[in-house]
């Protein structure tokens, strides 16, 4: 099969690789480019050493003809975390695009059967591939509701970043009735693309509102600093982004104002299924904010994202 | 009256000041030295500018003869935080020892009546003065129980620091049935003084255990780094200490391992009353780990603490 192989920092080669054979084999029809793929491509993720097939936001068709979207997180089902409903923290978790599992920027992908969610015939597979990034926000909102001291419908919310993680989280907040939602996004072209019940602001030009909940879908020192300042006393910061590992949090304010900071990683299998169902049910809006390109032209897509030349919150590649 | 007045960095003068007249006046009989008093004395707390009477851990006798311990946090009772049970986050909160309120290193102190908790005759006032530091741990443990994904009796706990904040939190954890409790304390003399159902370790010599809950009663970059490493995936860090504002948290691990970091500030009025009652009921142990000195010799006590020459987790001054 053909695959887009990460061979060295900032280098992707579209080339022949062996077909996968284990588990259930899926012909990949749509696969999104994630910020973490960008980090790996830039050579900044030591969990993803070259040579490697990246990509973990996939939907496709199994060899026996089922249309599916793929939960890329493979968990054991038997450890303490798995048995207590926190399977995203499985002690032996694996995710495709990280050794020993190859990723989905390829014509085919192998996955355990239990990682597949069937997609209704009327839902395009490119839209179904958004289940993965949106599930991150679904999970974060679920944890946030538990941590907040008031219901979501009384909570003002701020989302840092209007990429797929941030926008996905904002759509989940909207679907679940948050009182208000502001998205802070610095890219003007992307700001113009974002539609929904949100205030969309440029955080360099407009003061951030004071809110009950911040969801940081970016995860840089600057966004953590902004989140620290914008969260009201007693409020909550959900931290999804893995932008950098620099400081940024205002530890003193978090302490004196009793702010909760919760790191969140992916989603549980149940979160993933619920997110996919919400997409199928249409409760997360039209989900038309992605751009599609051929997998063979993936290298240019990575360069365009890195160069700030992409307005869409998500590029989906078609093998 | 006589008071110990902070007049300049590292300088305390025992001198005459005007008697307090407002609210209820208490003759102070016992008042503890807190780490935050030490910071102010060192000139590191811009919330506490000289000249100022420090001290906020007080017990004494009202002019009409009632033995009381003092909740030093003055709240409005009408703001959103006060009305939702988070009065420690009152938007106009004041604490004695911070302008506009003078502190308790003095022969007399004025306080609103609702800040006083009556002390039974058989409880020494020095012990009753421990309600304030221990209430910080009481509050942190209450928030931690809400954040943890398993009951406290199934939770392994690590407390950073064996001062009154850390030891108090450890005693609360023990009283509430925590599965195991380790206290990390670098001062060997203090380690030798700590008695209770704890493992007491030197974190420079003994590897920290992996735990469900860390309570950081110190709040330095080094303790936050240790807390980041010792908390299991999905676990909780409660951050009480205000040691410094440097980084220390391992943001990447907190995110990838979904660790919750909660800043905590003081206690609610209900936490304070519950802590005082727990002391009166004897459920927090003998509470004999303080050393008493005359208020007139307070300057030497500050120097001794700063010089590492005090083993006791708490010095209580007697006006």
């Amino acid at each position: 099969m053909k695959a887009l192989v990460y061979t060295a920092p900032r280098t992707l080669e579209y080339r022949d690789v062996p077909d996968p054979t284990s588990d259930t084999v899926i012909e990949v029809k749509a696969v999104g480019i994630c910020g973490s793929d960008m980090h790996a491509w830039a050579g900044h993720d030591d969990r993803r050493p070259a040579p490697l097939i990246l990509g973990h936001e996939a939907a496709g068709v199994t060899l026996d003809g089922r249309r599916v979207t793929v939960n890329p997180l493979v968990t054991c089902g038997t450890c303490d975390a798995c048995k207590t409903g926190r399977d995203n923290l499985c002690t032996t978790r694996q995710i495709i695009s990280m050794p020993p599992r190859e990723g989905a920027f390829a014509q085919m992908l192998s996955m355990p059967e239990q990682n597949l969610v069937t997609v209704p015939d009327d839902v395009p597979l490119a839209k179904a591939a958004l289940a993965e990034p949106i599930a991150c926000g679904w999970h974060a909102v679920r944890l946030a509701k538990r941590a907040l001291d008031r219901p979501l419908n009384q909570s003002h919310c701020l989302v840092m970043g209007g990429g797929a993680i941030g926008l996905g989280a904002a759509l989940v907040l909207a679907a679940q009735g948050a009182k208000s939602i502001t998205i802070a996004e610095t890219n003007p072209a992307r700001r113009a693309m974002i539609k929904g019940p949100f205030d969309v602001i440029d955080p360099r030009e407009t003061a951030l509102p004071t809110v009950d909940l911040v969801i940081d879908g970016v995860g840089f020192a600057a966004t953590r600093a902004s989140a620290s300042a914008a969260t009201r006393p007693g409020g909550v910061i959900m931290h999804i982004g893995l932008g950098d590992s620099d400081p940024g949090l205002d530890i003193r304010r978090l302490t004196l104002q009793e702010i909760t900071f919760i790191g969140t990683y992916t989603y549980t299998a149940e979160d993933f299924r619920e997110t996919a169902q919400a997409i199928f049910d249409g409760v997360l809006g039209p989900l038309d904010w992605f751009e599609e390109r051929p997998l063979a032209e993936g290298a240019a897509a990575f360069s365009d994202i890195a160069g700030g030349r992409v307005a869409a919150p998500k590029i989906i590649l078609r093998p």
Side-chain angles (χ1 to χ4, degrees), chain A:
Chain A
M1 68 172 180
K2 291 286 188 186
L4 192 70
V5 183
Y6 164 61
T7 54
R10 305 181 78 86
T11 308
L12 293 168
E13 291 182 16
Y14 187 67
R15 69 184 192 194
D16 288 305
V17 300
D19 288 359
T21 53
S22 60
D23 294 324
T24 299
V25 174
I26 302 117
E27 289 184 3
V28 180
K29 299 298 183 186
V31 51
I33 300 176
C34 172
S36 63
D37 294 316
M38 297 301 303
H39 282 287
W41 170 81
H44 296 159
D45 187 349
D46 56 17
R47 302 174 302 166
R48 291 179 165 104
L52 185 68
I53 304 174
L54 301 172
H56 58 272
E57 304 179 356
V61 180
T62 61
L63 294 185
D64 61 2
R66 287 172 292 145
R67 302 173 79 247
V68 296
T69 185
V70 176
N71 176 350
L73 202 66
V74 180
T75 58
C76 73
T78 58
C79 73
D80 192 49
C82 282
K83 287 192 293 189
T84 56
R86 301 193 76 170
D87 41 288
N88 58 321
L89 304 180
C90 170
T91 50
T92 59
R93 73 188 182 200
Q94 298 178 342
I95 191 164
I96 62 171
S97 78
M98 208 180 289
R101 291 188 176 270
E102 296 284 357
F105 291 145
Q107 291 179 314
M108 285 189 278
L109 171 70
S110 73
M111 282 304 288
E113 185 65 30
Q114 68 263 28
N115 283 59
L116 307 181
V117 175
T118 300
V119 179
D121 288 341
D122 63 338
V123 177
L125 287 171
K127 194 180 288 191
L130 296 176
E132 201 282 340
I134 299 176
C136 296
W138 187 278
H139 177 68
V141 170
R142 179 165 67 77
L143 297 190
K145 287 192 292 187
R146 184 165 175 266
L148 282 164
D149 59 8
R150 64 196 57 180
L152 201 58
N153 66 9
Q154 295 173 29
S155 296
H156 295 283
C157 305
L158 169 64
V159 177
M160 307 300 294
I165 294 291
L167 179 53
L171 289 166
V172 173
L173 287 170
Q176 300 194 14
K179 185 165 186 175
S180 76
I181 304 162
T182 302
I183 298 176
E185 167 60 54
T186 54
N187 181 328
R190 183 172 284 176
R191 278 201 306 279
M193 274 200 73
I194 296 174
K195 302 283 182 276
F198 320 121
D199 283 332
V200 185
I201 65 170
D202 180 350
R204 297 166 307 187
E205 294 189 349
T206 304
L208 296 176
T210 297
V211 297
D212 304 280
L213 170 65
V214 177
I215 296 182
D216 187 343
V218 182
F220 281 96
T223 58
R224 284 188 288 277
S226 295
S228 299
T231 308
R232 68 149 166 92
V236 175
I237 299 169
M238 303 301 303
H239 190 259
I240 308 177
L242 286 166
D244 67 29
S245 299
D246 297 334
L249 281 184
D250 183 343
I251 296 290
R252 189 169 176 82
R253 182 164 193 272
L254 264 58
T255 307
L256 289 173
Q257 300 301 344
E258 211 156 84
I259 290 167
T260 297
F261 173 93
I262 304 181
T264 90
Y265 177 75
T266 67
Y267 33 74
T268 64
E270 186 174 358
D271 290 323
F272 188 91
R273 287 190 297 268
E274 290 177 351
T275 305
Q277 193 59 50
I279 291 173
F280 305 157
D281 292 343
V283 300
L284 298 177
L287 301 177
D288 55 1
W289 33 265
F290 57 85
E291 177 188 335
E292 291 185 270
R293 299 191 187 189
L295 179 64
E297 296 168 20
F302 272 71
S303 294
D304 286 348
I305 295 172
R309 294 184 293 274
V310 176
K314 179 63 65 186
I315 287 186
I316 287 180
L317 299 177
R318 279 184 278 102

